[in-house]
Amino acid sequence: EAQARRLCEELASHLTPSFRAATTPCFSQIGSGALPVETIPSFAIAIQSTEGRDSDLRRLATELRRLPRPVIGRIHDGRLLLDLRCMDCESLFLQQLPQLRDALAC
């Protein structure tokens, strides 16, 4: 939860005004093969379009995947969720945020 709050604030500062970000508890799927429906509690950064447009979220998800170290989220209930359970290098994530801001500004 602490990591989600810290990263959310930094991510929000690099998003355009058409998005707002908040932290939220979530459930993270732990596997597909032997445990396809098992989940564990986690925290995510939830990003919403201020206009309520799914197309904005899809574009943001695309730009996150295009980063040098791709960031993969999932769109659920009108929000793009970035589950932090699999965050392995916080510093690399933070280093890429200016590139994300530039891509969204185009």
Side-chain angles (χ1 to χ4, degrees):
E1 182 177 3
Q3 182 184 44
R5 291 186 191 288
R6 187 174 59 252
L7 292 176
C8 181
E9 200 171 302
E10 189 67 28
L11 175 61
S13 73
H14 287 83
L15 295 174
T16 63
S18 59
F19 297 103
R20 69 176 172 264
T23 60
T24 187
C26 67
F27 287 94
S28 190
Q29 186 175 346
I30 60 175
S32 57
L35 301 168
V37 295
E38 294 295 320
T39 61
I40 59 173
S42 186
F43 269 85
I45 298 172
I47 305 165
Q48 290 182 288
S49 164
T50 57
E51 301 294 321
R53 294 188 299 235
D54 282 344
S55 60
D56 290 343
L57 294 177
R58 286 192 302 274
R59 178 171 178 242
L60 176 58
T62 297
E63 295 303 337
L64 285 164
R65 285 191 307 272
R66 287 182 177 161
L67 291 171
R69 180 95 178 237
V71 176
I72 309 299
R74 68 181 186 274
I75 296 175
H76 180 73
D77 287 338
R79 302 178 301 170
L80 175 60
L81 299 176
L82 304 178
D83 185 348
L84 297 180
R85 181 179 69 89
C86 296
M87 172 73 68
D88 65 346
C89 190
E90 190 174 312
S91 62
L92 286 176
F93 174 75
L94 293 171
Q95 287 173 4
Q96 298 184 119
L97 293 181
Q99 291 173 283
L100 176 64
R101 181 186 56 231
D102 293 345
L104 293 172
C106 294

